Amino acid sequence: MAHFACSFKYRASCSAGVAAWFLTATSWATNYTPFIVPAGTTFTLNGGDSVTGTGSSTAIRVGGATLNFGPGNIAIGNVDLGVFATNGPAANINFQTGTNVTITTVTPTGLGLQSTVNSQAVFSLAPNSNVTIRGFQGVNLGHTPLGTSSQLNIGSGATLKIEAAPAGGNPWPKGVMTSNNAAISIAAGGVLDVQTTGGQYARGIELGYSLTYPASVERKLTSAPGATLRVSTTGQTADGLYMLGVGESVLEGTTDIHTTGSDSSGIFLRRYVSPTNHLVVAPQGGSTARILTEGADAYGVIGIDGSRAELSDLQLETRGADAVGLYAYTSTGETPTVFQATRNVITTTGTGGFGILAQGAGSSVTFDNGSVQTQGARGHGVVVAGTSSFAATNSTVTANGPQAIGLLLASDSGTQSATVNGGSITSAMGTAIGADGGTANIQLTGTTVTGATNWLQVASSGTLLNSGSRMLRGVDPSLAPDAGNPAGVSSGGALAGVAATANVVARNATLSGAAVTEAGSTSNVTLIDSTWTLTGNSNITTLVNDPSLIDFTAPQAGAYKTLTVRNYSGDGVIALN
């Protein structure tokens, strides 16, 4: 039974301060109506106990007090809110070892666990405890003043399972929500398992931002080595993990995120009126990290306007049209978004599904010891647009679909750069490297480049990349008003047919395919200790062959290949065939 300032065995009532409740006891199991735990006291629910509401009630209110859930099965049901940590001194809600708690809410605003503004609550799941929440929303940790915090701590062997879905016409279910100065931690062996079904903006984990209180707690989410974070969403614009504003998430345990709706990214990052927005995915000690998105415009990981991400040993798969594995975007005048990826494996299968996209004003993606495989039509391996940059070491990039380019640099007037050391760039059905407007600076060192038609194609903007505007995220009506309602973000529209200039330096590289420069564009190619197997008619504006081998393949059906160069120099070899 439950323990408090007085104890019960049979039907009774008790009041203390503002607390009042009525209960019915059978043996030692007690069924409570909703009640309040008074400040300065401790209340314990034991196995077999339950709290049953009237449908619109809050089961338990806790302020400046301690609420314990003891070992055994405990149920809270037919309520609007399960446990509410009220405004005031710190509230401690402890799910003790051996407890198995189920919270079921039944209203359109139903919420399992909530800490209100300035409650400074700590929800703790002790080792080998289990909590299941079913209803509209799971956990909401409200913002607190500078120097204070609210916390959700999941201990070793503990499991918090949340099943959220729209209710009563309200379309915005959420799994876990936090605001400024609130933090979530999952210990080794702990599990946070979140499922949201249907709805819109139905995010698994939403790490939000408040304009009311300055942020002093930077680490918003921590998953320790050996922990498990599992998130599944099926709604539209239902990201697995969403982090807005200031904060840091460090995921060193197993991460498994799966979204099926359109515009539902695995991880969505946006730095907003804040100095930092930082993600680390680095599974340790046998843990793994995997993100799968199935909807159109659903990105594996997207970062906007100064977000930073370090991603290690991450498997990313997108299946929808126009989806992207890794997407770094920066608006004009904003701090550049920076991604550093190591040993990532990216697979895309949808039409127009890019492996990597670095776009906008100075976005940067570094991709080392990884692989990119795209399958869909126009599914380019890597796209660098605007004034952004890409760097890779010992990575493979393969575009397998029709009109799919391995590495594509595109802009109307900006300068993009790509630096590739080792590894390979391949297009199974088209061009391996493309320059589409603007100025493309490309450095290849020890890289194998193979195009079914061209290893290099230089053309005016809009020829190779049919770039429509992408609405990366509109104004979000589901965010709390104190989040400031950040404006929507849209990437640039169609390219304008501006001639391209490609500056390519290849050192110790192996190149196979034709090199084609479309009318009006310019190509400057320098070959240093490289081999170019020329498989089709080629034209280059300026070619330095110093000292390299240009090897013409044998004629086909009596047709010889040609190489047309406006400016040629160097002491390399041209092997005619």
Side-chain angles (χ1 to χ4, degrees):
M1 65 172 282
H3 295 287
F4 183 58
C6 54
S7 60
F8 307 88
K9 186 172 182 179
Y10 303 103
R11 182 174 181 83
S13 66
C14 174
S15 64
V18 297
W21 62 91
F22 298 89
L23 54 89
T24 302
T26 304
S27 183
W28 294 99
T30 305
N31 182 24
Y32 292 90
T33 57
F35 62 89
I36 298 171
V37 181
T41 66
T42 297
F43 186 88
T44 300
L45 289 167
N46 285 332
D49 290 347
S50 60
V51 182
T52 304
T54 59
S56 61
S57 52
T58 296
I60 307 172
R61 295 175 179 266
V62 186
T66 298
L67 172 65
N68 296 322
F69 290 83
N73 297 325
I74 300 171
I76 296 176
N78 198 37
V79 294
D80 173 63
L81 204 162
V83 178
F84 183 39
T86 60
N87 192 0
N92 295 295
I93 296 89
N94 302 314
F95 299 93
Q96 298 176 341
T97 297
T99 195
N100 184 28
V101 178
T102 301
I103 302 173
T104 303
T105 65
V106 295
T107 67
T109 57
L111 183 54
L113 304 175
Q114 181 177 15
S115 66
T116 191
V117 177
N118 196 23
S119 65
Q120 304 173 50
V122 179
F123 296 90
S124 297
L125 277 70
N128 301 313
S129 61
N130 291 279
V131 178
T132 300
I133 300 173
R134 299 186 179 96
F136 176 62
Q137 295 183 341
V139 178
N140 187 342
L141 302 182
H143 56 197
T144 65
L146 186 73
T148 66
S149 68
S150 290
Q151 302 173 37
L152 170 63
N153 301 320
I154 302 173
S156 177
T159 298
L160 172 58
K161 184 176 179 61
I162 297 171
E163 299 172 357
N170 196 337
W172 303 331
K174 312 274 187 179
V176 179
M177 296 170 288
T178 71
S179 188
N180 277 15
N181 304 318
I184 305 166
S185 67
I186 313 170
V191 177
L192 175 55
D193 187 346
V194 180
Q195 301 174 19
T196 68
T197 303
Q200 188 175 14
Y201 305 105
R203 303 183 179 108
I205 299 176
E206 180 177 291
L207 307 180
Y209 183 76
S210 165
L211 297 177
T212 304
Y213 294 123
S216 58
V217 177
E218 183 171 292
R219 181 71 63 84
K220 289 190 171 184
L221 173 60
T222 302
S223 175
T228 298
L229 173 62
R230 186 181 304 115
V231 180
S232 173
T233 74
T234 65
Q236 181 181 356
T237 319
D239 308 311
L241 169 59
Y242 172 96
M243 187 163 69
L244 173 70
V246 65
E248 179 180 64
S249 292
V250 177
L251 309 179
E252 295 181 316
T254 290
T255 301
D256 188 352
I257 297 175
H258 181 194
T259 72
T260 62
S262 62
D263 190 29
S264 297
S265 297
I267 298 178
F268 182 100
L269 310 170
R270 184 176 179 184
R271 188 187 67 88
Y272 170 67
V273 294
S274 57
T276 183
N277 181 274
H278 183 212
L279 169 71
V280 176
V281 178
Q284 307 289 323
S287 298
T288 60
R290 180 176 182 266
I291 295 173
L292 168 62
T293 71
E294 298 192 53
D297 298 300
Y299 313 119
V301 179
I302 179 171
I304 297 175
D305 292 349
S307 296
R308 295 185 298 120
E310 285 96 55
L311 310 169
S312 301
D313 301 296
L314 174 60
Q315 295 185 49
L316 288 159
E317 180 181 357
T318 71
R319 297 177 180 173
D322 299 318
V324 179
L326 293 180
Y327 190 175
Y329 179 80
T330 306
S331 304
T332 300
E334 295 287 349
T335 301
T337 298
V338 178
F339 281 5
Q340 294 178 306
T342 304
R343 296 181 300 278
N344 284 207
V345 177
I346 300 175
T347 304
T348 73
T349 56
T351 299
F354 303 163
I356 297 172
L357 175 55
Q359 186 181 25
S363 297
S364 172
V365 175
T366 300
F367 191 76
D368 294 340
N369 300 302
S371 69
V372 174
Q373 287 269 352
T374 66
Q375 302 294 335
R378 300 182 302 280
H380 308 308
V382 177
V383 176
V384 187
T387 57
S388 297
S389 63
F390 172 75
T393 299
N394 297 329
S395 295
T396 62
V397 177
T398 305
N400 291 295
Q403 304 176 58
I405 297 172
L407 170 63
L408 177 59
L409 292 82
S411 174
D412 282 332
S413 59
T415 298
Q416 318 88 49
S417 67
T419 302
V420 182
N421 297 307
S424 63
I425 302 170
T426 303
S427 174
M429 300 181 69
T431 295
I433 299 176
D436 193 64
T439 300
N441 295 325
I442 303 165
Q443 298 276 341
L444 305 170
T445 303
T447 308
T448 299
V449 180
T450 306
T453 54
N454 310 313
W455 79 264
L456 176 67
Q457 185 175 1
V458 184
S460 58
S461 55
T463 303
L464 305 179
L465 180 64
N466 184 11
S467 177
S469 175
R470 290 175 182 259
M471 175 55 71
L472 303 186
R473 192 55 52 92
V475 174
D476 185 348
S478 77
L479 293 176
D482 56 27
N485 293 317
V489 178
S490 178
S491 66
L495 299 174
V498 177
T501 298
N503 302 309
V504 182
V505 178
R507 292 181 174 85
N508 298 302
T510 301
L511 315 172
S512 179
V516 176
T517 307
E518 306 288 351
S521 291
T522 301
S523 57
N524 303 308
V525 177
T526 299
L527 305 179
I528 302 172
D529 297 320
S530 295
T531 298
W532 171 14
T533 301
L534 191 150
T535 62
N537 294 340
S538 301
N539 64 305
I540 293 176
T541 308
T542 300
L543 175 61
V544 178
N545 184 5
D546 185 31
S548 295
L549 170 64
I550 302 175
D551 188 8
F552 284 60
T553 57
Q556 293 182 341
Y560 291 87
K561 283 78 174 177
T562 64
L563 171 59
T564 303
V565 178
R566 184 180 304 170
N567 303 298
Y568 178 85
S569 64
D571 56 359
V573 175
I574 298 179
L576 301 176
N577 201 333

